[in-house]
Amino acid sequence: MIIRDVEVRNVQEVARGIFVLSFVSLELSGSTLPGQFINVLVQKGHEPLLRRPFSVYRVEEETVEIIFNVVGKGTVLLAAKKRGDIINILGPLGIPFGTGGSFRNAILIAGGLGIAPMPILAEHLRKNGKHIEVFAGARSGDQLALDHLENTHIATDDGSRGYHGTVVALAEQYLREHPLSEAKIFACGPIRMLAAVSAYAESVTIPCELSLEGEMACGIGICQGCPVERLDGATRYALVCTEGPTFDSTTIILRGA
Amino acid sequence: MKTGFVLRNVEFKNRVLVASGTFGYGDETRDLVDVAKLGGIVTKSLSWKPRDGNPPPRIAETPSGMLNSIGLANIGVHAFIEKKLPYLRTLDTRIIVNIAASSVQEYCDVLALLESQNGIHGFEINVSCPNVKEGGLSFGTNCDLTAEITSRLRALTDKPLIIKLTPNVTHIGQFAVAVKEAGADAVSVINTVIGMAVNAKTRKPKISTVTGGLSGPAIKPIALAKVYEVAQSVDIPIFGIGGITNAEDAIEFLLVGASAVQVGTANFIDPRTGVSVAEGIESFARDQALGDVGDLVGTLKAKKDMSVLQSWL
Ligand SMILES: Cc1cc2nc3c(=O)[nH]c(=O)nc-3n(C[C@H](O)[C@H](O)[C@H](O)COP(=O)(O)OP(=O)(O)OC[C@H]3O[C@@H](n4cnc5c(N)ncnc54)[C@H](O)[C@@H]3O)c2cc1C
Ligand SMILES: Cc1cc2nc3c(=O)[nH]c(=O)nc-3n(C[C@H](O)[C@H](O)[C@H](O)COP(=O)(O)O)c2cc1C
Ligand code: FES
């Protein structure tokens, strides 16, 4: 885990309102695993006060990429960064996805910006010799960011591209028609989508890992600000930042779904 | 250059500590922070039994600040002794254990158990956490109860006993006087300020407990005023807390009467903030050709007779 000022290399709008920001950090590019995140201080000063967490999207040689949706103060500022600007990053943080293990087929399900950890995940899965199918959903076709992914199946809420409906419904339909044995599901996206994925995975007894988002102040386990309810365990809550953000779907309860 | 200070029988190497609940149990940041450069670490508040804390959302960002309703989530004093204290003992800094409880007896039980352990240099008593329905608020806003807790705990320990006061009272100075008379060695000023944040679109409060504790730069002016009031009211040392993010902030607290400071919310942005504050204070004092950082304490140039405190003191 490091805290560093890093230099922005590039910021690019890759889909409507969705930006990829790359920066230079050999330390991070060499050590980050799929599903891990970084906590970004978008500028010095008190506005906004806290860091913003983002999944690592891709690493390539000495550069690291994040992908984000412009939703508020922090992401507006990030989208306006130029080559050579300095941002401060803390990371890599959190528990990565389990990319090893005995499964042969990996099912990646992403809703909206849940696409963020998928390219780095797919790369590690490929290296581990796994077959990959990607299901990506968005509100509409112009909000899809599908670069660096293969075998993609698309769903949009408005039907403007691919399957008209939810990405989980699409995945269920596809997998019913093309069953995959020895599979494992990896999902990231809005809480309702994760709850649907989790229920589906349970119904077909496929192991499933979810990557959660939620409010965070520190990202490193010192504020107790990011609880998620455990299904069972010694304590009622787990911390998303240090015990997640990736969780086995059978170990947590998704509230607000 | 003298940077340290002595509280009761304990020497601190400098006047900067990290505040309770903002630095975990000290082990989470071991790769990032050289804690030997801090005056001390104040642990997360500990209670007798582990506490789950409040449901999410527990935090919301506000202008130059944040609101929290952690609900004193902690591992409990037994797990602390078993799992956290051995590591803390190895650190070259002072370890102040913060205690929170829901009854006077629980405060006594937790302190008595900790008193039997090596490696703890003092106690800070959280009577003021506004988040917990039973406990916190009721003790810290009741002067007699706060004094009673202080005198009961005083009887149990010879180590520095610091009472952490809440700003959510009309006259914090009266509380400082009461705990001093009850035997406290020092006071910490302030804990979080009651606050609220609302999402207009969803018409929902932004944290699950509706109201919570405000911290960060937004509360610094409040904290300075409270430290000033306490400094005018008692002559025991004050740990100034509230919105400190750099050395200049900390020096302002020393000037209005704090003997030392604690860095809280700023740790979430960078857990090394306390170290840079300590270094910054030292170089400020050197630039001013002071022999002792303590020479800054309580040297605010203000007309005392203009003070609002006159109305009740
Ligand atoms: C572990 C983790 C990984 C994440 N990875 C990504 C990522 O790869 N790409 C990405 O675009 N976003 C990601 N997020 C969410 C991202 O952190 C927020 O979108 C960002 O902090 C918003 O900052 P802002 O200042 O622009 O918005 P703010 O002004 O803070 O908020 C604007 C709106 O966004 C909502 N919001 C704020 N924070 C979050 C959050 N954490 N989750 C959901 N909604 C939020 C607020 O409720 C508000 O309605 C991740 C969050 C976590 C915890
Ligand atoms: C997330 C969070 C958790 C806290 N937990 C505790 C606690 O357990 N015990 C306590 O006495 N104070 C606690 N505090 C209060 C801080 O120690 C400090 O008094 C307050 O935040 C003001 O300082 P700051 O503005 O520098 O953060 C907490 C504050 C925050 C933000
Ligand atoms: S974000 Fe602070 S403990 Fe998880």
Side-chain angles (χ1 to χ4, degrees):
Chain A
M1 197 196 297
I2 55 160
I3 303 187
R4 291 282 186 277
D5 279 345
V6 295
E7 203 180 301
V8 173
R9 176 144 299 176
N10 192 31
V11 184
Q12 197 186 347
E13 187 166 8
V14 296
R16 184 161 59 87
I18 298 173
F19 293 77
V20 170
L21 180 150
S22 62
F23 59 86
V24 185
S25 170
L26 207 50
E27 290 165 296
L28 266 193
S29 67
S31 63
T32 304
L33 294 169
Q36 288 189 302
F37 66 102
I38 58 172
N39 224 351
V40 179
L41 187 61
V42 297
Q43 66 181 15
K44 301 239 154 90
H46 302 156
E47 280 302 329
L49 183 67
L50 300 170
R51 289 174 182 269
R52 298 293 191 259
F54 297 97
S55 303
V56 170
Y57 175 61
R58 242 163 55 88
V59 300
E60 200 178 355
E61 289 166 8
E62 81 284 4
T63 64
V64 178
E65 292 179 359
I66 57 173
I67 185 168
F68 58 92
N69 216 341
V70 173
V71 294
K73 271 186 260 179
T75 45
V76 164
L77 287 164
L78 273 182
K81 296 286 174 196
K82 299 273 175 290
R83 187 185 178 93
D85 285 352
I86 301 296
I87 56 175
N88 187 275
I89 52 115
L90 166 60
L93 305 174
I95 307 292
F97 280 123
T99 53
S102 60
F103 67 97
R104 286 195 305 135
N105 293 299
I107 302 161
L108 278 49
I109 309 180
L113 258 290
I115 203 75
M118 298 308 176
I120 184 175
L121 173 61
E123 193 187 325
H124 279 250
L125 289 167
R126 266 194 301 270
K127 274 192 207 139
N128 291 347
K130 314 291 186 186
H131 173 78
I132 305 166
E133 297 288 339
V134 181
F135 299 87
R139 258 186 231 125
S140 91
D142 58 356
Q143 291 173 305
L144 283 159
L146 300 169
D147 298 342
H148 316 292
L149 292 166
E150 292 156 26
N151 300 343
T152 49
H153 310 268
I154 295 164
T156 53
D157 293 344
D158 65 1
S160 57
R161 198 170 155 193
Y163 176 85
H164 189 172
T166 71
V167 68
V168 184
L170 170 65
E172 284 185 34
Q173 181 187 313
Y174 179 90
L175 294 167
R176 205 166 32 240
E177 289 162 11
H178 311 84
L180 292 173
S181 60
E182 297 172 64
K184 179 171 176 179
I185 295 172
F186 299 86
C188 184
I191 196 108
R192 288 181 55 178
M193 177 212 128
L194 295 182
V197 171
S198 180
Y200 168 69
E202 198 173 337
S203 73
V204 292
T205 61
I206 299 180
C208 173
E209 277 187 47
L210 308 175
S211 177
L212 303 189
E213 294 187 358
E215 299 72 16
M216 286 188 179
C218 72
I220 54 175
I222 59 176
C223 78
Q224 299 282 327
C226 60
V228 59
E229 214 166 325
R230 292 184 208 273
L231 205 54
D232 53 60
T235 57
R236 177 151 178 215
Y237 295 110
L239 293 181
V240 173
C241 71
T242 51
E243 293 169 72
T246 62
F247 289 94
D248 178 327
S249 66
T250 60
T251 62
I252 51 169
I253 305 173
L254 297 170
R255 301 261 178 213
Chain B
M1 164 72 59
K2 183 166 176 252
T3 56
F5 70 106
V6 176
L7 181 63
R8 201 170 175 96
N9 42 15
V10 174
E11 211 178 316
F12 294 76
K13 70 175 76 161
N14 64 48
R15 294 171 186 263
V16 183
L17 290 79
V18 284
S20 180
T22 68
F23 208 75
Y25 301 102
D27 56 350
E28 298 86 347
T29 49
R30 63 169 89 194
D31 300 338
L32 294 175
V33 188
D34 182 3
V35 294
K37 293 182 176 159
L38 291 172
I41 295 172
V42 186
T43 69
K44 178 74 193 162
S45 282
L46 294 171
S47 48
W48 184 254
K49 286 190 187 148
R51 276 177 185 263
D52 291 326
N54 291 325
R58 288 181 179 176
I59 51 178
E61 195 180 52
T62 57
S64 300
M66 66 176 279
L67 209 54
N68 89 81
S69 64
I70 305 301
L72 295 180
N74 80 91
I75 59 174
V77 67
H78 299 90
F80 171 79
I81 289 169
E82 193 188 319
K83 295 185 181 136
K84 303 294 181 181
L85 193 53
Y87 172 71
L88 289 172
R89 277 191 198 109
T90 67
L91 302 178
D92 178 21
T93 192
R94 295 306 181 195
I95 305 302
I96 306 297
V97 177
N98 182 298
I99 302 174
S102 47
S103 69
V104 179
Q105 192 57 47
E106 186 185 352
Y107 277 111
C108 294
D109 292 345
V110 175
L111 189 139
L113 181 58
L114 290 166
E115 184 64 21
S116 68
Q117 302 296 315
N118 293 324
I120 295 169
H121 303 106
F123 301 103
E124 181 180 73
I125 310 305
N126 180 5
V127 292
S128 49
C129 185
N131 298 327
V132 178
K133 288 182 194 77
E134 30 164 318
L137 186 60
S138 50
F139 293 117
T141 56
N142 179 322
C143 206
D144 295 339
L145 257 180
T146 305
E148 183 191 335
I149 292 165
T150 308
S151 58
R152 290 277 302 274
L153 296 176
R154 177 75 286 165
L156 295 173
T157 184
D158 214 19
K159 294 186 175 135
L161 179 64
I162 307 156
I163 309 297
K164 185 167 181 180
L165 301 178
T166 172
N168 306 309
V169 296
T170 308
H171 292 306
I172 197 171
Q174 293 173 337
F175 286 75
V177 170
V179 302
K180 184 204 163 175
E181 283 167 3
D185 297 302
V187 285
S188 289
V189 180
I190 55 177
N191 210 314
T192 53
V193 179
I194 293 178
M196 186 166 171
V198 175
N199 183 324
K201 286 197 194 108
T202 63
R203 301 192 186 189
K204 286 184 184 163
K206 287 193 179 173
I207 54 173
S208 66
T209 52
V210 184
T211 59
L214 186 64
S215 66
I219 70 166
K220 195 182 80 171
I222 300 172
L224 284 169
K226 298 293 178 185
V227 169
Y228 182 69
E229 180 180 339
V230 170
Q232 300 301 306
S233 310
V234 289
D235 57 2
I236 55 175
I238 302 164
F239 289 86
I241 318 172
I244 296 171
T245 64
N246 57 40
E248 196 170 327
D249 293 337
I251 290 160
E252 291 164 20
F253 277 88
L254 299 180
L255 295 178
V256 302
S259 293
V261 296
Q262 296 179 13
V263 174
T265 299
N267 289 310
F268 303 153
I269 294 112
D270 189 338
R272 304 167 305 184
T273 305
V275 173
S276 62
V277 169
E279 289 169 353
I281 293 174
E282 193 177 337
S283 66
F284 179 90
R286 197 175 296 116
D287 289 348
Q288 303 245 321
L290 303 177
D292 180 354
V293 172
D295 293 343
L296 291 165
V297 174
T299 58
L300 186 77
K301 294 178 183 166
K303 290 186 190 145
K304 290 245 166 58
D305 58 345
M306 294 293 284
S307 166
V308 291
L309 307 173
Q310 294 298 323
S311 55
W312 68 274
L313 268 177

